[in-house]
Amino acid sequence: MYFLLAFVLYILIITVNLTLILTVIMEKSLHEPMYIFLSNLCVNSLFGTIGFYPKFLLDLLSDTHTVTYSWCLLQVYVIYSSVICEISNITVMSYDRYVAICRPLQYHSILTPHAVLKLLVVAWACPLLASSTALVLTLRIPICGSHIRKLFCDNTLILKLACFQTKANQVWGMILTAAVSDVLYGWEGSEKLSVSERNALAIQFLIFPPLLNPIIYGLQLPQIRKVVCRQRCKHKILCKLKR
């Protein structure tokens, strides 16, 4: 039952995000900065969920819940990069709306294709570089434990298995994730919660943002909704003609 629920949820996340991405790609009228940034946010959602759902689904079908150290670090890198990248992408989207509202006459001269490309590169490069730094800091630490009480690999919990104190890693992690309460709570106070409560807190950002972002930011926009509805109508007409 848990596998079925998780599988349906993952398919739903993939569907809503791909629908918005393909809609923006296929519709020339949506080749504007706002929609490009929005589709980029959806790409990041797909990237982040790849780091969790495939392994989680396999674990639900398996009697043994183990992962190699290298795959554990890869999962940490993907999930952390995605979380930070979501923040940077939303920041870029906010800048786009600021220019559109406060400097409408200069909008197209400010957000040129070249400027859009640079913003996209920065939105991805900074999180990937920051996560790479955290990963390198973790790799240099010898590990003396092997049990992580969480549904997925967490950098803070890996560092708690270290053979000695890792203050530099802790400080860097807190700088990167300030306000991301789940990661901060992983350092202090996590033992006060039950395993179920910790897991519920941990996976909320792997469920709600990937599922709701395309709906809240995308499908509610009249321009995108019209295109999606028009494509569905075309599909229905083609299906009837084939019959």
Side-chain angles (χ1 to χ4, degrees), residues 89-243:
N89 273 305
I90 291 177
T91 301
V92 167
M93 291 169 62
S94 300
Y95 174 70
D96 169 75
R97 291 300 83 203
Y98 160 76
V99 176
I101 294 170
C102 299
R103 306 176 70 178
L105 298 179
Q106 298 173 294
Y107 181 80
H108 290 289
S109 62
I110 294 175
L111 287 172
T112 61
H114 183 65
V116 170
L117 179 60
K118 287 199 294 186
L119 287 171
L120 291 175
V121 170
V122 170
W124 280 95
C126 291
L128 294 177
L129 181 61
S131 298
S132 297
T133 304
L135 192 65
V136 170
L137 289 172
T138 300
L139 282 170
R140 69 186 180 88
I141 304 297
I143 301 298
C144 291
S146 60
H147 184 61
I148 294 179
R149 295 168 63 85
K150 207 168 190 178
L151 290 176
F152 58 91
C153 291
D154 186 318
N155 196 51
T156 58
L157 296 184
I158 292 176
L159 293 174
K160 281 193 171 185
L161 302 177
C163 301
F164 54 82
Q165 290 291 330
T166 56
K167 202 66 179 179
N169 299 66
Q170 183 175 352
V171 171
W172 179 252
M174 286 185 171
I175 291 172
L176 290 182
T177 56
V180 183
S181 59
D182 172 58
V183 180
L184 290 176
Y185 205 74
W187 284 109
E188 303 292 341
S190 62
E191 299 303 323
K192 297 177 184 178
L193 297 177
S194 67
V195 176
S196 299
E197 289 172 329
R198 287 203 299 271
N199 285 329
L201 180 65
I203 66 171
Q204 53 86 20
F205 66 86
L206 292 167
I207 295 176
F208 297 114
L211 183 61
L212 297 180
N213 280 348
I215 298 172
I216 294 174
Y217 294 114
L219 297 178
Q220 283 194 352
L221 294 174
Q223 296 90 335
I224 291 181
R225 196 163 58 243
K226 287 178 183 177
V227 174
V228 172
C229 291
R230 188 168 69 243
Q231 293 297 331
R232 288 184 62 185
C233 291
K234 285 182 180 179
H235 179 71
K236 288 180 180 179
I237 293 172
L238 287 174
C239 288
K240 289 180 181 180
L241 290 175
K242 288 180 179 178
R243 290 176 184 175

Side-chain angles (χ1 to χ4, degrees), residues 77-93:
Y77 180 77
V78 171
I79 292 177
Y80 274 47
S81 298
S82 175
V83 172
I84 303 173
C85 195
E86 178 163 345
I87 297 171
S88 63
N89 273 305
I90 291 177
T91 301
V92 167
M93 291 169 62

Side-chain angles (χ1 to χ4, degrees), residues 3 10 49-62 64-68 71-72 75 79 150-153:
F3 173 85
Y10 188 36
T49 52
I50 285 175
F52 172 71
Y53 284 96
K55 178 64 172 66
F56 179 59
L57 291 170
L58 289 174
D59 284 342
L60 290 175
L61 295 178
S62 175
T64 58
H65 306 140
T66 60
V67 62
T68 64
W71 278 105
C72 188
Q75 187 177 55
I79 292 177
K150 207 168 190 178
L151 290 176
F152 58 91
C153 291

